[in-house]
Amino acid sequence: MKKLLACFIFLSFISLLPADSVSKFLQFNLSSSTTRGIEKSNTLFAGEAGFAARWFDGLVGIQGYEDAFDFTVAGEGYFPFANWDFDEARLALGIGSLYHFQRYKDISTEHDWIFDSVFRYHTYTGFTLTFRGGYSFKMSRIDALADYVSPIWDKYPSAGIRIEKLFSNGLELYYEHSTHDLYRYPVFCTPDYILGAALNMDSGLRFGGEIELRFSDQYTTAPYCNGLILRMTARYAF
């Protein structure tokens, strides 16, 4: 209930932001975890709301299926003294933070915090390069051991890169490589890859699809694909 209340407050907040200086969106996702990984053969539903302005942006999202529920809230801010405008592009540096909550029914509870720096290069022809690097903190509690063992703490570096291109006809292509996605935060050395495409319409509607791959121990031993997710997205920007 607290997570749903936070989503409602966030939606109310972004609806009051001035439309001429802030872009806002609502998005809904339908994902299939296919037959790979420990969450195989599941259908996941998710919804996100967010906003973006020149100096800051934010996002809140929830995802769930029969066995798990996730809640994520994130935000970024850019420094006016580390911002450079060129004739055809903008370069900006900033900082960001993220909190993620996950509940596996009758199994475990997880809390994740990320604090990072943000580098963004955006051209006025629709190309955007974003790099994030920082540190993550994770607290996990196992239901079966809760009365005997203290919560488990982990800390490890986090990083990600995202490349986007929006064409004049509304076609959007993007690629992301990161240590996590919006709702899954495995311990370091389990990288995530996302490749997607979308069509943006003049009405503000955006329809897309993407493929997500997750590998175990890719940087240390022989990599193993432990996750393959197919996802459809629908977004309304206003």
Side-chain angles (χ1 to χ4, degrees), residues 152-166:
I152 302 170
W153 286 88
D154 293 288
K155 53 183 179 179
Y156 49 92
S158 64
I161 184 172
R162 183 178 175 93
I163 303 171
E164 307 171 65
K165 173 60 178 178
L166 177 60

Side-chain angles (χ1 to χ4, degrees), residues 1 18 39 41 62 70 84 87 90 104 119 125 160 168 178 192 201 220:
M1 181 61 67
E39 292 185 290
S41 303
I62 57 175
D70 292 88
W84 297 271
D87 291 339
R90 178 195 181 207
Y104 269 109
F119 166 95
T125 57
S168 58
S178 179
D192 194 82
M201 302 180 179
T220 55

Side-chain angles (χ1 to χ4, degrees), residues 130-143:
T130 305
F131 175 79
R132 297 179 177 88
Y135 222 73
S136 302
F137 302 86
K138 179 188 294 289
M139 186 192 77
S140 306
R141 182 182 292 273
I142 309 301
D143 291 2

Side-chain angles (χ1 to χ4, degrees), residues 67-69 101-110 143:
D67 297 323
F69 171 82
F101 168 84
Q102 181 181 80
R103 174 60 185 168
Y104 269 109
K105 185 175 68 176
D106 301 326
I107 297 177
S108 65
T109 300
E110 176 183 300
D143 291 2

